[in-house]
Amino acid sequence: MNSKESANPPDAGAAVDTREQGSAGGWKMPKPKFQQTSGYLPKGYAAAVEKKLTEASSDSSKNIAAPQPAEVQPQPELTEQLESPQQLPSPDTAPRAVKYRVGWVYIVLGIGLVLVLLLAFLLVVYFLFIAPASPDGPF
């Protein structure tokens, strides 16, 4: 390090490269830097802080009212929560007659549609890929 770098310490926010190269070119752990302080606060610091705190507390008590706590409703006991609720009687309804003929018609139509689509697909595959090309076609 030169004398300019040692005289001006780096900023606290700036990234500091603490790697140092040893004599063999490998990495070597940097030497620790110890800083000493007197251990005392600056003169008048305690009085200034106390003055600011008293001003802040007197201003806040004048301007801001303390929030009122929300009213808490009585809570049910655990045994009340575990009890089964009263079941209401269900109205008596006669079961409806089920029509099975309509369901069979749709099943037959669906199977027929699937067979028609399968036949169309097979015909397209046959004429495009399997059938021999005839030189004397209709066109």
Side-chain angles (χ1 to χ4, degrees):
M1 281 199 232
N2 59 22
S3 62
K4 288 182 181 178
E5 289 178 356
S6 62
N8 297 327
D11 293 335
V16 179
D17 188 15
T18 58
R19 294 180 289 168
E20 293 183 9
Q21 299 295 328
S23 59
W27 182 83
K28 180 179 148 186
M29 186 163 181
K31 303 258 189 241
K33 296 178 183 178
F34 296 103
Q35 297 179 354
Q36 290 185 344
T37 62
S38 65
Y40 296 103
L41 293 174
K43 290 181 182 177
Y45 179 78
V49 169
E50 188 175 317
K51 181 180 175 186
K52 285 183 183 179
L53 286 176
T54 56
E55 288 175 1
S57 66
S58 66
D59 290 344
S60 65
S61 64
K62 292 177 186 174
N63 297 334
I64 302 173
Q68 297 296 326
E71 290 185 27
V72 178
Q73 300 294 329
Q75 301 296 315
E77 294 294 324
L78 183 60
T79 56
E80 293 175 8
Q81 291 179 358
L82 295 178
E83 291 177 2
S84 63
Q86 181 182 11
Q87 294 184 0
L88 299 175
S90 62
D92 294 330
T93 58
R96 289 190 274 168
V98 181
K99 298 179 182 177
Y100 292 107
R101 285 191 249 174
V102 176
W104 286 104
V105 171
Y106 287 127
I107 290 174
V108 170
L109 287 176
I111 290 173
L113 180 64
V114 168
L115 289 175
V116 168
L117 290 175
L118 181 64
L119 180 64
F121 176 74
L122 291 175
L123 285 173
V124 169
V125 169
Y126 174 75
F127 283 116
L128 290 179
F129 301 109
I130 300 173
S134 63
D136 50 307
F139 300 107

